[in-house]
C-alpha cells in the first residue's frame, strides 16, 4: 500500500535500493519468513516511514483437528518397473482421494471462533512419496473466514496453515499405508 501511495512498484524499489527483486516480491506478497534489519532500514528510508508503517502484528492462533468419524479413503496403486527383462519393480501409492471433516479453533484479535467444515482432498504421489495435492473446502470454511472481517494476509495465513495440516495428514496416511499381500 505504501509503495502504491508513493507511485512505486517492485522494479522501482529494486532500482532504488540494494534489495533483490525476490526479497521485495516476497515482502510485497506476504511470503517472507522474516525481515532483515538492513532490509527494513532501506525500505523505511525509501518510503520515508517508520517500521510500524510496514510491519503489523496480528494476534492469531489456530488449531485444526480431523474429526472425521468414518473416512473413506480411495487409493490408487501404480507400479514402477526397475528392470523390464525380469519384470522386477515395486508398487507404490500414487493417488489418494478422501473427504475430511475438520474442526477449527481460531483466536483472532481477541475473538474466538470455532467451526467445522468439510474438505475434499485429491493427492498425487510419485515413487519417492513426493506429494502434490488439491483441496476444495466447503462454504462453511469460506463463510467463517469472511465473518472475521480480517485482511487478506490473515486469510492467506489461515489457508497456509490448513494446507500444512492437510499435507501432514496425507504424509501420515502415506507413511502408515500397508499394501495388501
Amino acid at each position: 500500500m505504501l509503495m502504491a501511495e508513493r507511485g512505486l512498484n517492485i522494479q522501482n524499489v529494486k532500482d532504488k535500493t540494494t534489495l533483490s527483486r525476490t526479497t521485495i516480491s516476497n515482502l510485497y506478497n506476504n511470503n517472507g519468513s522474516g525481515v532483515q534489519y538492513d532490509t527494513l532500514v532501506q525500505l523505511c528510508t525509501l518510503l520515508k516511514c517508520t517500521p510500524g508503517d510496514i510491519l503489523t502484528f496480528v494476534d492469531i492462533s489456530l488449531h485444526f483437528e480431523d474429526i472425521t468419524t468414518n473416512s473413506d479413503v480411495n487409493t490408487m496403486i501404480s507400479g514402477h518397473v526397475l528392470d523390464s527383462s525380469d519384470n522386477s519393480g515395486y508398487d507404490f501409492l500414487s493417488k489418494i482421494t478422501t473427504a475430511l471433516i475438520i474442526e477449527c479453533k481460531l483466536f483472532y484479535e481477541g475473538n474466538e471462533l470455532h467451526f467445522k467444515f468439510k474438505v475434499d482432498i485429491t493427492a498425487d504421489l510419485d515413487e519417492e512419496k513426493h506429494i502434490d495435492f488439491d483441496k476444495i473446502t466447503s462454504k462453511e470454511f469460506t463463510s467463517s473466514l469472511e465473518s472475521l472481517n480480517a485482511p487478506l494476509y490473515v486469510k492467506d495465513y489461515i489457508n497456509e496453515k490448513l494446507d500444512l495440516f492437510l499435507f501432514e495428514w496425507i504424509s501420515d496416511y502415506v507413511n502408515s499405508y500397508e499394501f495388501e499381500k
Side-chain angles (χ1 to χ4, degrees), residues 8 10-21 23-24 38-39 41-47:
L8 298 171
I10 292 173
Q11 185 62 45
N12 301 136
V13 173
K14 179 190 175 302
D15 293 343
K16 295 179 183 210
T17 65
T18 62
L19 304 176
S20 73
R21 183 174 181 82
T23 297
I24 300 162
D38 180 62
T39 300
V41 168
Q42 287 190 57
L43 290 173
C44 286
T45 301
L46 176 66
L47 298 171

Side-chain angles (χ1 to χ4, degrees), residues 111-156:
N111 297 313
E112 186 174 334
L113 181 62
H114 293 255
F115 60 96
K116 298 174 186 173
F117 62 95
K118 178 182 171 192
V119 60
D120 294 312
I121 304 169
T122 301
D124 294 305
L125 300 96
D126 64 15
E127 301 89 17
E128 297 171 357
K129 296 184 180 179
H130 295 130
I131 299 168
D132 181 31
F133 76 94
D134 291 312
K135 71 177 188 296
I136 300 173
T137 55
S138 65
K139 66 180 181 206
E140 289 83 8
F141 180 75
T142 307
S143 61
S144 294
L145 287 189
E146 289 304 317
S147 74
L148 287 175
N149 293 322
L152 181 60
Y153 61 85
V154 170
K155 294 173 186 173
D156 288 345

Side-chain angles (χ1 to χ4, degrees), residues 6-156:
R6 287 157 177 80
L8 298 171
N9 60 29
I10 292 173
Q11 185 62 45
N12 301 136
V13 173
K14 179 190 175 302
D15 293 343
K16 295 179 183 210
T17 65
T18 62
L19 304 176
S20 73
R21 183 174 181 82
T22 301
T23 297
I24 300 162
S25 180
N26 283 341
L27 291 171
Y28 183 84
N29 293 304
N30 292 311
N31 292 330
S33 59
V35 180
Q36 296 291 321
Y37 180 75
D38 180 62
T39 300
L40 192 57
V41 168
Q42 287 190 57
L43 290 173
C44 286
T45 301
L46 176 66
L47 298 171
K48 296 179 178 43
C49 66
T50 65
D53 297 325
I54 295 175
L55 302 176
T56 303
F57 172 75
V58 176
D59 185 15
I60 186 171
S61 68
L62 69 153
H63 174 75
F64 293 107
E65 183 180 348
D66 174 17
I67 61 169
T68 310
T69 55
N70 190 11
S71 65
D72 184 19
V73 180
N74 297 308
T75 58
M76 180 185 295
I77 308 299
S78 295
H80 180 79
V81 177
L82 296 173
D83 185 351
S84 60
S85 65
D86 66 359
N87 285 333
S88 63
Y90 57 90
D91 290 336
F92 66 95
L93 190 58
S94 60
K95 189 175 204 95
I96 299 170
T97 56
T98 192
L100 301 176
I101 304 299
I102 306 293
E103 180 176 48
C104 178
K105 295 178 183 173
L106 172 64
F107 301 92
Y108 171 66
E109 298 293 334
N111 297 313
E112 186 174 334
L113 181 62
H114 293 255
F115 60 96
K116 298 174 186 173
F117 62 95
K118 178 182 171 192
V119 60
D120 294 312
I121 304 169
T122 301
D124 294 305
L125 300 96
D126 64 15
E127 301 89 17
E128 297 171 357
K129 296 184 180 179
H130 295 130
I131 299 168
D132 181 31
F133 76 94
D134 291 312
K135 71 177 188 296
I136 300 173
T137 55
S138 65
K139 66 180 181 206
E140 289 83 8
F141 180 75
T142 307
S143 61
S144 294
L145 287 189
E146 289 304 317
S147 74
L148 287 175
N149 293 322
L152 181 60
Y153 61 85
V154 170
K155 294 173 186 173
D156 288 345

